[in-house]
Amino acid sequence: MGRLTERTDQELMLAARAGELDALDLLFVRHHRRLYGFLARLTGDRHVAEDLVQEVFLRLLRFRTSYSGDGSFVAWLFRIARNVAADQFARRRAVDPIDPDTTAVDEPSALDRMVTDERRERYERALRTLPAEHREALLLRGTEGLPYRDVAAALGCSEGAARVRVHRALVAIKRTLHALAGDTA
């Protein structure tokens, strides 16, 4: 199978499942920033996101033998991240995981680079108003750039349902952004 750095994510995870634990180090290097950005936006707390990224990789280590190799590794990884965040929310007994008083994440994503700083702040405020299922779908599709089939796999729903969630999120974001643009405060 060649050197570790030449392997795909799926090959690395299969190697980790077989006991080649150095493969997990490379998966961490490849994906920790992306997971951090997703979890920071999902939770609204950069410090919590750092802890959750560590928990995601601990679960990869702990449950590596359950990895089947079927489907997209990235979708499987984000599903674990989502579960870790849900567990955190349950422990905190929070109804909505986003705290409106937290600041936006400093690491720019593709979506962040498309808008000005002022518009980005409005976007972050609007994002926090979405129900969790719509926010997750929008972050996975829009910010992380996952294809709909991977969004669906990460969310545990059909591809059609993932498309509907993203669409509803975009409609709600647009409506909220128009309302925020009219704010003078």
Side-chain angles (χ1 to χ4, degrees):
M1 270 220 189
R3 295 177 356 159
L4 277 179
T5 57
E6 297 170 356
R7 294 183 186 173
T8 66
D9 292 339
Q10 186 175 18
E11 290 170 337
L12 287 170
M13 194 60 214
L14 289 170
R17 183 179 78 180
E20 200 174 332
L21 299 184
D22 288 346
L24 288 175
D25 292 339
L26 188 52
L27 287 170
F28 178 83
V29 169
R30 286 183 184 177
H31 296 285
H32 78 278
R33 283 190 176 168
R34 192 174 185 188
L35 282 173
Y36 169 78
F38 171 71
L39 291 166
R41 283 184 173 77
L42 188 62
T43 64
D45 187 324
R46 291 179 279 179
H47 299 293
V48 169
E50 290 171 6
D51 293 340
L52 295 180
V53 168
Q54 296 301 319
E55 180 61 27
V56 168
F57 283 96
L58 285 172
R59 286 193 188 183
L60 282 183
L61 174 63
R62 192 175 323 137
F63 301 114
R64 69 186 182 279
T65 57
S66 68
Y67 180 70
S68 68
D70 296 333
S72 165
F73 169 79
V74 172
W76 185 71
L77 180 66
F78 276 97
R79 184 173 193 117
I80 291 171
R82 211 174 144 249
N83 291 341
V84 165
D87 291 348
Q88 170 71 16
F89 300 147
R91 281 193 299 272
R92 294 168 80 187
R93 294 188 180 175
V95 174
D96 187 340
I98 297 297
D99 177 1
D101 296 327
T102 59
T103 57
V105 177
D106 296 332
E107 292 187 7
S109 68
L111 184 59
D112 291 335
R113 287 188 297 270
M114 292 174 28
V115 295
T116 64
D117 288 341
E118 179 184 321
R119 294 176 81 195
R120 182 176 8 154
E121 182 180 324
R122 283 196 305 249
Y123 170 78
E124 293 288 339
R125 285 175 55 197
L127 185 65
R128 289 189 294 261
T129 67
L130 293 175
E133 70 178 14
H134 294 155
R135 183 175 45 248
E136 291 169 344
L138 185 61
L139 288 172
L140 290 170
R141 176 70 180 151
T143 305
E144 296 304 323
L146 295 182
Y148 281 109
R149 71 178 178 281
D150 289 351
V151 172
L155 298 177
C157 64
S158 70
E159 189 172 329
R163 287 178 185 274
V164 168
R165 288 180 189 182
V166 170
H167 173 74
R168 287 181 179 164
L170 289 171
V171 168
I173 285 277
K174 184 177 179 181
R175 186 174 36 244
T176 303
L177 286 174
H178 284 301
L180 291 173
D183 284 346
T184 57

